[in-house]
Amino acid sequence: MWSSSLQRRLPRIVDMPRMTIVAGIIVLGALLVLPQFIYPVFLMKAMCFALFACAFNLLLGFTGLLSFGHAAFFGSASYISAHALKVWGFTPELAILAATLNSALLGYLFAYVAIRRQGIYFAMITLALSQMVFFAALQLPFTGGEDGIQAVPRGALFGFIDLSDNRTLYFFVLAIFLFGLFAVWRIVHSPFGQILKAIRENETRAMSLGYRVDYYKLVVFVLSATLSGLAGGTKALVVQVASLTDVTWQMSGEVVLMTLLGGMGTIFGPAVGATVVLSLQNYLSSLGSLVTIIIGVIFVVCVLAFRRGIVGELQARWPRRNQ
Amino acid sequence: MTTFFHTAEQREYILETVGLSKEFRGFVAINQVDLKVRKGTIHALIGPNGAGKTTVFNLLTRFLKETAGAIIYKGRDITHSRADSIARLGIVRSFQISSVFPHLTVRENVRVALQRKHGMDMHFWRPARELNRLNREADALLDEVGLESFVNLQAVELSYGRKRALEIATTLALDPELMLLDEPTQGMGHEDVGRIADLIRKVAANRTILMVEHNLDVVANLSHWITVLQRGEVLAEGSYDEVSGNPQVIEAYMGTAHG
């Protein structure tokens, strides 16, 4: 009852289904209280990966393009952010901005080369390009090679809000995370998002209506890379390290897994998937390499039993009469 | 890009092909086709199965690349244009199998076609509800094809004939000068055929139509000019009466000449 009156009052501000609004409010409330109970650094890390997966899903779920090189945007952003904080002495928001711009540019380069290719060829080209970024991260002098960039200072937000306290940083990261999610949601539910949907549904028809489909794909690729960069740049600030792990091809694979597990083509699914994967890695870390096997088994079960992913499956089974 | 000098005769033709040919690994699908489509007419392209009609369409709309020849649209060589830029020049096609965006609503299908013209195709930072501004225009087009009571239905739920009507409404949204219709009445029941034929006549009022069609009643009723293709070559051309009396054409269709 209360939720329907809520939607009646809000319809022009947020035209989301009622269930999404209610779920959103619950999650938001939880995010505000959770740092009291759970180690904030873990939560912040989870939000970074969640945003990364949601940005990736713009391509996989909402455009139908499988990029296998998204670690390049996430990882290189964390290097730029760490370097800007540590060496250039940037304030955190400027460091993250620089990291985000870096990924936007890199995304444009990737898309320019790969976007005309289809299916597996597209995936392979993005993989090859991201391996070049990995090589650069290994060889360039400023990245610290195998050691990465360590002991990154968090600095003071806008020059005067000290972020060394995890609680303070938490709300900054939460704000970035919410902004990122909102951006994804907005892109999907925008006039441009409508064209993406048309392209995904019937590419030849879109072309015969005068749409240069490669161009729209390029734009969404750059948007996805940009938001991945926002996530990666923030992550370096949180964990105070930029390392090779985030630019490896395994990371590109992991984000595919998070997205599929949570539900591709849903706005919040990838965030759920990322949280699940990260929690397993975190809480089962004492089991060592067994974690990989456990996640693998979960993934296989998920693909076999709930093909739509966690959120996708919930949506499909939710009673439709309310909508 | 070459612009030809206009002679009086050339100006009459909105679309011309010169020696258009297409080979698929040695198989000659289209051989030296010279097609001339007069402005403001309904021009039918007919011929037995495998004559190459759809291939001609795919060449004209650049979904296929020709092996030789040229395509001239309004005095301009468009042989090297891309499929999407052809559409922006005013040539919009329909497909042999109805081609809609299945999981968009009927209204959204038409709006997609309107978005580019209104500069609302790149706005990724605006809410989708701004597209409601296009509703009136979209609904008027749907009204024209008799789909006004289905605006909120998903396209996938429409009957076959109505999908075709939706496809035409979507095409009309671009206000094309030249419409290419690939077998608009194929696979339709009798009633639907009549409805689509009426619709074609209506939308042809201020534009040119080139259509591939198997239903000879529709061809006889609608078209001002007919080109008959056989094995990738032009067999005959003329009005329906001229073409239907041509012994070669009768042979191509019936297998024997009897007349």
Side-chain angles (χ1 to χ4, degrees):
Chain A
M1 281 304 272
W2 64 272
S3 67
S4 71
S5 69
L6 173 79
Q7 195 174 35
R8 229 172 287 135
R9 246 172 284 152
L10 289 177
R12 289 295 123 208
I13 309 167
V14 279
D15 30 15
M16 286 192 266
R18 185 176 309 159
M19 190 186 110
T20 317
I21 298 180
V22 175
I25 290 172
I26 294 171
V27 171
L28 187 60
L31 282 172
L32 289 171
V33 210
L34 268 180
Q36 310 294 328
F37 308 102
I38 300 176
Y39 183 45
V41 172
F42 171 73
L43 287 174
M44 291 188 275
K45 223 175 114 182
M47 285 194 280
C48 292
F49 279 99
L51 177 56
F52 178 33
C54 289
F56 173 76
N57 191 37
L58 268 180
L59 278 186
L60 184 63
F62 292 104
T63 317
L65 287 174
L66 173 60
S67 157
F68 211 79
H70 255 50
F73 311 125
F74 185 71
S76 69
S78 75
Y79 275 110
I80 298 291
S81 167
H83 186 74
L85 283 163
K86 191 174 180 179
V87 181
W88 295 337
F90 276 28
T91 51
E93 74 284 356
L94 287 180
I96 291 174
L97 185 68
T100 309
L101 289 177
N102 151 80
S103 296
L105 193 69
L106 202 58
Y108 178 76
L109 291 175
F110 272 49
Y112 187 80
V113 177
I115 213 76
R116 278 175 203 82
R117 303 276 98 78
Q118 311 273 338
I120 190 77
Y121 302 103
F122 177 80
M124 288 299 115
I125 291 176
T126 50
L127 172 62
L129 291 170
S130 79
Q131 286 304 94
M132 290 186 203
V133 173
F134 174 79
F135 183 74
L138 189 63
Q139 297 294 327
L140 285 176
F142 85 93
T143 57
E146 300 277 358
D147 300 331
I149 304 175
Q150 302 197 352
V152 176
R154 281 179 181 169
L157 182 60
F158 307 119
F160 61 90
I161 306 172
D162 183 25
L163 290 183
S164 53
D165 179 42
N166 281 336
R167 295 281 161 81
T168 321
L169 181 65
Y170 181 83
F171 289 99
F172 178 51
V173 174
L174 179 62
I176 290 178
F177 172 66
L178 292 177
F179 167 79
L181 273 198
F182 174 75
V184 170
W185 179 77
R186 167 54 80 231
I187 292 165
V188 170
H189 298 283
S190 71
F192 172 75
Q194 191 77 0
I195 304 296
L196 287 184
K197 196 171 173 191
I199 291 174
R200 194 173 80 232
E201 292 254 301
N202 192 339
E203 190 166 330
T204 23
R205 182 57 173 160
M207 223 189 283
S208 78
L209 292 177
Y211 288 108
R212 189 174 176 180
V213 296
D214 290 342
Y215 182 65
Y216 297 86
K217 287 180 182 171
L218 183 134
V219 171
V220 74
F221 193 101
V222 173
L223 289 171
S224 168
T226 307
L227 290 170
S228 303
L230 178 64
T234 310
K235 195 211 160 199
L237 180 72
V238 170
V239 299
Q240 299 182 278
V241 168
S243 72
L244 284 173
T245 324
D246 290 344
V247 270
T248 54
W249 62 268
Q250 287 94 331
M251 183 57 69
S252 297
E254 207 158 275
V255 75
V256 179
L257 192 139
M258 290 168 174
T259 306
L260 292 180
L261 196 62
M264 75 170 190
T266 65
I267 302 272
F268 302 107
V272 173
T275 312
V276 169
V277 170
L278 224 62
S279 304
L280 288 172
Q281 285 173 346
N282 195 48
Y283 293 107
L284 301 179
S285 59
S286 55
L287 300 175
S289 56
L290 213 54
V291 179
T292 333
I293 295 174
I294 294 173
I295 292 177
V297 170
I298 290 178
F299 184 62
V300 170
V301 169
C302 198
V303 169
L304 290 177
F306 345 93
R307 205 165 297 177
R308 284 176 277 235
I310 299 167
V311 172
E313 214 56 49
L314 282 175
Q315 267 178 7
R317 285 169 193 205
W318 197 264
R320 287 258 154 200
R321 65 195 155 78
N322 284 345
Q323 301 203 350
Chain B
M1 204 142 296
T2 329
T3 306
F4 290 84
F5 288 110
H6 288 226
T7 64
E9 196 203 12
Q10 269 174 342
R11 229 185 337 257
E12 266 186 89
Y13 296 113
I14 187 165
L15 184 78
E16 287 177 72
T17 68
V18 185
L20 193 64
S21 303
K22 176 71 188 173
E23 266 182 47
F24 292 106
R25 300 186 182 178
F27 168 70
V28 182
I30 299 296
N31 190 19
Q32 296 286 326
V33 167
D34 298 328
L35 195 65
K36 290 181 175 199
V37 180
R38 210 178 286 268
K39 200 174 157 103
T41 59
I42 301 181
H43 188 136
L45 198 56
I46 64 169
N49 282 328
K53 296 161 300 205
T54 297
T55 308
V56 168
F57 260 39
N58 284 334
L59 289 169
L60 291 177
T61 47
R62 313 314 299 142
F63 279 87
L64 282 177
K65 278 217 175 310
E66 73 297 327
T67 316
I71 304 164
I72 319 291
Y73 171 67
K74 295 205 287 184
R76 180 175 167 189
D77 186 346
I78 57 163
T79 318
H80 302 290
S81 303
R82 284 190 321 266
D84 55 284
S85 53
I86 292 290
R88 292 196 293 272
L89 289 173
I91 307 176
V92 183
R93 71 174 294 180
S94 74
F95 293 83
Q96 198 164 13
I97 293 164
S98 86
S99 187
V100 296
F101 302 112
H103 298 100
L104 265 55
T105 66
V106 168
R107 181 190 273 149
E108 283 171 339
N109 263 271
V110 179
R111 283 199 321 206
V112 164
L114 291 170
Q115 272 180 255
R116 190 172 45 76
K117 171 166 89 176
H118 289 274
M120 293 176 80
D121 55 332
M122 290 311 301
H123 291 175
F124 59 79
W125 60 95
R126 308 288 268 275
R129 65 165 180 275
E130 291 200 351
L131 292 172
N132 288 339
R133 279 196 272 149
L134 306 178
N135 285 356
R136 192 189 302 201
E137 199 176 342
D139 291 359
L141 287 159
L142 288 167
D143 201 41
E144 212 173 311
V145 302
L147 287 179
E148 62 279 0
S149 45
F150 303 99
V151 285
N152 289 316
L153 212 60
Q154 288 216 321
V156 67
E157 292 170 54
L158 292 177
S159 73
Y160 189 76
R162 294 207 168 102
K163 274 190 194 135
R164 287 247 94 136
L166 173 58
E167 204 184 343
I168 290 178
T170 310
T171 307
L172 285 176
L174 300 183
D175 197 14
E177 277 189 73
L178 175 60
M179 258 171 103
L180 307 187
L181 305 175
D182 197 352
E183 302 200 22
T185 69
Q186 190 214 30
M188 271 183 202
H190 188 69
E191 218 171 285
D192 277 342
V193 169
R195 209 182 312 161
I196 292 290
D198 288 343
L199 187 56
I200 293 172
R201 199 196 319 271
K202 191 160 110 186
V203 304
N206 48 359
R207 49 177 62 88
T208 313
I209 290 186
L210 174 63
M211 63 176 186
V212 167
E213 184 54 64
H214 273 303
N215 187 325
L216 291 181
D217 285 339
V218 175
V219 173
N221 266 326
L222 288 180
S223 39
H224 304 107
W225 195 257
I226 295 164
T227 301
V228 187
L229 280 186
Q230 191 192 19
R231 296 197 198 102
E233 293 179 25
V234 175
L235 182 67
E237 268 192 295
S239 67
Y240 186 79
D241 292 337
E242 286 164 21
V243 165
S244 60
N246 182 323
Q248 277 181 294
V249 174
I250 296 170
E251 193 184 335
Y253 267 89
M254 306 295 180
T256 50
H258 52 105

